[in-house]
Amino acid sequence: MSDLRDPAPYDALLLLSFGGPEGPDDVVPFLANVTRGRGIPEERLKEVGKHYFLFGGVSPINAQNRALLDALRKDFADHGLELPVYWGNRNWAPYLTDTLREMITDGHRRIAVLATSAYASYSGCRQYRENLAESLSALEAEGLPVPRVDKLRHYFNHPGFVRPMVDGVLASLADLPEDVRAGAHLAFTTHSIPTAAADTSGPAETHGDGGSYVAEHLDVARLITEAVREETGVDHPWQLVYQSRSGAPHIPWLEPDICDHLEALHGDGVPAVVMAPIGFVSDHMEVLYDLDTEATAKAAELGLPVRRSATVGADPRFAAAVRELVLERAAAEQDRPVAPCALGTLGPSHDLCPVGCCPARALKPAAAGADSPF
């Protein structure tokens, strides 16, 4: 893949992300965007936003997306890939519709889309596809020519995503006191979602008992654990755990929670823990608060040494992986032979989301899928 330079038919790449507030006055309007249609009163939004207010009302996600944007542009330029890169968000500026309008005005008609979510799920994939369809429909209503958008496949098991996380875990283990290092457990964390959403994540044939969402995270956790064992000679016990639960308490969500897991490990006499946030591309608020603040405070209360490993962020290896994903998809669109790069047991994900993949909570059009109107 590294020798290919032809991105045709694509004439631009869109970095599509969640967005976040960049000051105290942004927090409530941002959360209103996130929860639009749920009828949540402003006072409740202020309560929900307390995590952001602890950090000056600023989510780190936008700065991290700017860093990734720079890394992608540099990698593309360094490798002779002439493909402009744009950035749009679901819930905050730069808004997706505005970015797509800019791309259309700039003459782009075939757009590859990278979502900052590596795994299959409604909120991590189909909801972004719904956002794309909604924006394209709005721009069509403005009389603009609607481009074709193709969402790049899930990259959870691409080596350019996995290897930086391996290095993060190794660095965190090395930072633990030597007398507890060998006995440390690895707690691989990701965002909890309702079990019903997990069970229907991915293509229909993978539905049931966590669906693709859980299976993909487990495969990544095994890959990292095996790589750590190969490099250190130590087989660290590990478990996939969850964080950042929200929503009604009577609805079942994926468990165990990271704080409950830390308590259980401490009760079992485990000497130390490395928390590895494999479900997150960058150190945004769920990592900054739920792990670095809340879970770390719980560990301190227990007297349990913990370290939190780094997310991938703007690592040059991830930028290179994105380039390979674009060129891989371009080759497939050109009907040229291509061998998608993937580690683990699950193989490369699908290019085109099939019907029934991560079904919506309510019937809504979604772009970049087999049942897409765009």
Side-chain angles (χ1 to χ4, degrees):
M1 293 301 303
S2 60
D3 292 332
L4 299 178
R5 298 289 184 275
D6 183 10
Y10 300 109
D11 54 25
L13 173 69
L14 169 62
L15 175 65
L16 177 56
S17 194
F18 192 83
E22 300 201 71
D25 293 341
D26 296 345
V27 173
V28 171
F30 162 73
L31 291 173
N33 287 341
V34 174
T35 61
R36 186 183 295 111
R38 302 183 203 173
I40 298 177
E42 183 173 329
E43 288 306 310
R44 175 58 181 154
L45 293 179
K46 290 179 180 177
E47 174 65 21
V48 171
K50 65 183 180 180
H51 300 169
Y52 292 96
F53 290 122
L54 287 174
F55 298 93
V58 179
S59 168
I61 192 170
N62 280 356
Q64 290 159 3
N65 279 325
R66 292 185 187 101
L68 179 56
L69 200 64
D70 289 343
L72 291 172
R73 288 169 174 164
K74 181 181 187 305
D75 179 88
F76 287 10
D78 289 348
H79 291 84
L81 179 59
E82 296 182 2
L83 195 71
V85 187
Y86 294 74
W87 166 39
N89 290 325
R90 172 189 293 172
N91 296 303
W92 203 248
Y95 287 104
L96 172 59
T97 303
D98 296 335
T99 299
L100 283 171
R101 185 185 295 108
E102 178 187 1
M103 298 177 81
I104 292 169
T105 301
D106 289 347
H108 300 299
R109 298 294 180 267
R110 191 73 185 271
I111 299 168
V113 180
L114 175 79
T116 55
S117 176
Y119 301 87
S121 70
Y122 171 77
S123 58
C125 184
R126 186 178 177 94
Q127 191 172 9
Y128 282 116
R129 294 175 50 224
E130 291 175 353
N131 299 146
L132 285 164
E134 184 178 19
S135 292
L136 292 171
S137 180
L139 294 171
E140 185 178 48
E142 294 178 12
L144 295 173
V146 176
R148 174 170 165 179
V149 296
D150 290 336
K151 183 178 176 291
L152 299 176
R153 67 178 173 89
H154 299 300
Y155 46 84
F156 63 93
N157 56 3
H158 194 289
F161 185 69
V162 174
R163 186 63 218 188
M165 293 190 290
V166 172
D167 290 347
V169 171
L170 290 169
S172 291
L173 285 168
D175 193 48
L176 283 169
E178 188 173 359
D179 60 332
V180 298
R181 189 180 303 149
H185 282 224
L186 308 181
F188 295 103
T189 76
T190 190
H191 208 300
S192 184
I193 62 175
T195 56
D199 291 347
T200 56
S201 58
E205 62 268 21
T206 70
H207 291 180
D209 196 19
S212 292
Y213 186 75
V214 172
E216 290 169 1
H217 282 86
L218 287 172
D219 211 38
V220 171
R222 282 189 288 265
L223 283 166
I224 295 173
T225 303
E226 290 167 2
V228 168
R229 180 175 62 246
E230 289 174 3
E231 299 208 19
T232 66
V234 179
D235 192 5
H236 292 274
W238 64 274
Q239 186 170 338
L240 177 64
V241 300
Y242 302 93
Q243 59 173 93
S244 313
R245 177 190 167 134
S246 60
H250 68 279
I251 297 175
W253 284 54
L254 293 173
E255 296 178 338
D257 177 78
I258 177 61
C259 289
D260 295 338
H261 184 59
L262 293 176
E263 286 191 355
L265 292 180
H266 177 257
D268 290 341
V270 170
V273 179
V274 169
M275 301 182 294
I278 62 172
F280 306 90
V281 172
S282 63
D283 289 5
H284 50 71
M285 188 57 70
E286 282 84 352
V287 176
L288 194 65
Y289 180 81
D290 296 339
L291 293 184
D292 292 355
T293 304
E294 192 173 50
T296 299
K298 170 58 71 175
E301 173 190 318
L302 297 168
L304 177 66
V306 296
R307 297 294 185 271
R308 196 270 290 174
S309 67
T311 52
V312 174
D315 190 292
R317 291 168 292 185
F318 181 45
V322 174
R323 169 172 43 85
E324 291 185 354
L325 288 168
V326 170
L327 294 173
E328 165 199 301
R329 183 63 182 272
E333 293 294 318
Q334 297 168 23
D335 291 324
R336 290 192 289 112
V338 59
C341 192
L343 302 174
T345 62
L346 299 179
S349 184
H350 48 263
D351 279 337
L352 190 68
C353 290
V355 176
C357 191
C358 303
R361 301 164 188 170
L363 187 61
K364 292 179 69 174
D371 55 351
S372 171
F374 295 103

